[in-house]
Structures are given as structure tokens and as C-alpha cells.
Amino acid sequence: EKFGDTSADLITMARTRAVLALALAASLAPSCDAFAMAARPLARPMARAQTTHARSLKTMIMPVDPLRKQAVLRDNRYRSDDWLANLLTIPQSRVLRRIAFHLVTNVLWAVAVLALSLKKGIALTLPPLPHTILGGFLSLLLVFRTNSAYARFWEGRIIWGGIMNTCRNLAQYAVTHLRRVDMEIAGKFIKLLACFPHALAHRCVSGRIPHEDRVKAALPAPQWANIPSNVLLELREVVRQAAEKHGQGSLQDTLDTRLQLKEVTNRVDDLVDGLGKCERILRSPIPLSYSRHTSRFLSVWCAGLPLILLGPLGNWMPAAVAVICWALFSIEEIGHLIEMPFVPSLYPISDATGINPERLESEKQRKQPHPYSYGVPVEVMASVICQEVEDIGSTNYGK
């Protein structure tokens, strides 16, 4: 009853057998078209019925999670039907604001070249061949520059994905193994583990987001400048206390428990590695000589555009220069924006999805950029990881 009417399934099965029999007969007698003609009326309805049936079964067996659909499909991904909204919001673009001075300077230079040609009769023109040859080299520089920045963004996202997986593993180890040693130690471990993502997010954005109260409460009074490292040190201390308590217990030490505590220590090592990788991205920008040369090359090339386009375009030359410079300057600026991939969230944080759906529309009306517009929203990801760790810690396993 759950998967549909039995009679409909029998009809579909009968049609399937009929079409297979006709196809087999047609393969044995390829010169005869009667089998193929007879199979067509049955094949098309059967294909439509099977497709509809499969979709209904997929919907019943794997229903779409509305929370996931909202958080991933709608909010975090670009949709092809957003093209008109993206086109109309060009004046509110952050990239446009950042390149505005450079763009206006080039447009004014193009207007000056046109004015000299119209008022004074001075035609400042250049042959297009050198400009065309240099354009190929400029495109390579822009591609390499943008790809290098995107590689840093993707590496940052991979690092935070690994941190999420490690925190899940540690939370599960805490509820299934540390609770067998001591409930209080397991609870302290969970609280410290939930503090680490927020402390790491604070460090990734160089302190542009405040520390949460739970982080301050979980650490002792003398705190280091590197708060995530201090949290990991406290985690190691909790594991050491668990090992000592297990060794002093009345129960005989088992190899399994010792191996699990060793595994917990190894997972903490993974968090230390993740912290070091994030700091490597923060402290190692793309070489400045590369960025400077790309900027200089692009500025000189765009400054020569009015001299090349004046003859073919005439009065339309400043408009063409504006569009071309906007496109190229934007590509370069996007590389600058995502070069440092960790960004704080500009939306209110929700424990469930990282974005508060009730206040999302009001924030959009204020023209606030999306968290994934310019990098990895570490504050959002820290909130999601913390909530998942606390959910795992609230289970009854090991009690």
C-alpha cells in the first residue's frame, strides 16, 4: 500500500515484458519493421509511467528536508533564474564600490580623449596590434591571480569541513567511551569541544567577532593570546584526567578503553593541525609582487583602450571603455576579496542552520551581502558545529 496500487504495478510489469519481447524479436529480424512499429506505442507510455513511478517512490523513500532545502539550495547557491536580480543590483555591488575610483578614472580619461578629438581635432590613436598581443598575456595573469585566490578559498573550506568531521568524531567518542570512565569528565570534554569552533572563528577573522561567553567561562583565568590553542590544551588535560581515572578505577583496565583514549588524543591532534592550516592561510598572502604587477599591467592596458577604440567607435568609445574596464577590474577585485577566505557573518546567527530565516528577508532588504559572497562564513560554520556537538552530547549513549 505504501508504494502504490498493485494493479498498476502489474500493468507496468506486463508492458515491460511485452516491449522486451518485441525488442528481442526485432533484433532477431532487423529487416522487419513491424516489431519496431508495434513497440513504439507501448514504449513511450511505459517510459513515462516508469519515470513517474520512480519519482513518486523517491519522494516517499527519501523526502526532501525543507530545512536543508532552505539552507543549502536556496540560500547558499546561485540559481540561474537570479540573473535579472543580479543585473538590477549592480549599483549595490560591493565589488563595484571597491573599484569605483579606478573605474571612474579610466572613464574620465576616455572622455578627455574623446573631447580632444571633437573640440581640438587631436586624434590620439594607437595601432591595435600591440594592444591585442598584450591582451593575451593580461588574461593569463588575471586567470592565474583569480585561481590562486580561489584555491585559498577552497582550501579554507576544506579545512573547516575537516574540523567539523573531527568535532563530530570527538563528540561521539565522548558520549560512547568517556562516559564509561566518568560522566563529569565527558561533560567537560563536550563543553570544551563546543568552544573550539567559536574560538577558531574568532582567530580566523582576526578578532572581528567577539568571543562567546562559553569560551571565557570554559578557560582558566590566565589565557593565552591564542585562544583556540588554549582550548585544545584543556581538551588534552581532560583526556589525561580520564586516563588517570580509568587506571585508578576498581575495574580492570581494558585494551579497548586505552585504545579509544589514544584515538581521542589523535583526533585532538587533527584539530591542532586544522588550527595550524588556518593560521598558514592568514599569515601567508599571495606574493605582493605578483599582485602589484597584475594591477600595473591592467591599469596600463586599460589606459590604452581609449586610444584603440576611438577610431572604430567614435562617440560610443567612453561607454565601451566603461564596460570593458568594469569587467576586468571586477575580475581582479574578486581575486583580492577571496584571497583572505575567512569572513565574519553579516546575518543573524541561528543555531540550527547558521542563518536566522525570520530575519533573513529584513537583512536582504538592507542590501547586506550573503555570507558566502566573499569567502567562508566561519561564524556561521562555528555555530553549526557547536550546535551539532551539543546535540550529540545531549544523547543518552553511554549513560
Side-chain angles (χ1 to χ4, degrees), residues 2 55 101 108 138 165 184 205 295 297-298 340 345 364 366 381:
K2 180 178 180 182
R55 288 177 179 174
F101 178 73
L108 291 179
L138 177 62
N165 295 338
E184 183 179 355
V205 297
S295 178
F297 192 177
L298 179 61
M340 194 59 65
S345 173
K364 286 182 177 179
R366 299 179 196 172
M381 299 196 67

Side-chain angles (χ1 to χ4, degrees), residues 257-273:
T257 303
R258 290 183 177 273
L259 289 176
Q260 294 302 331
L261 291 177
K262 176 62 177 177
E263 184 66 23
V264 171
T265 304
N266 293 338
R267 298 296 180 179
V268 176
D269 292 341
D270 293 339
L271 293 182
V272 175
D273 292 341

Side-chain angles (χ1 to χ4, degrees), residues 293-331:
H293 180 70
T294 304
S295 178
R296 292 164 181 164
F297 192 177
L298 179 61
S299 298
V300 171
W301 191 87
C302 289
L305 272 177
L307 309 181
I308 303 297
L309 300 179
L310 178 61
L313 299 181
N315 296 338
W316 290 97
M317 180 267 294
V321 169
V323 173
I324 296 173
C325 290
W326 166 74
L328 295 178
F329 294 163
S330 298
I331 294 173

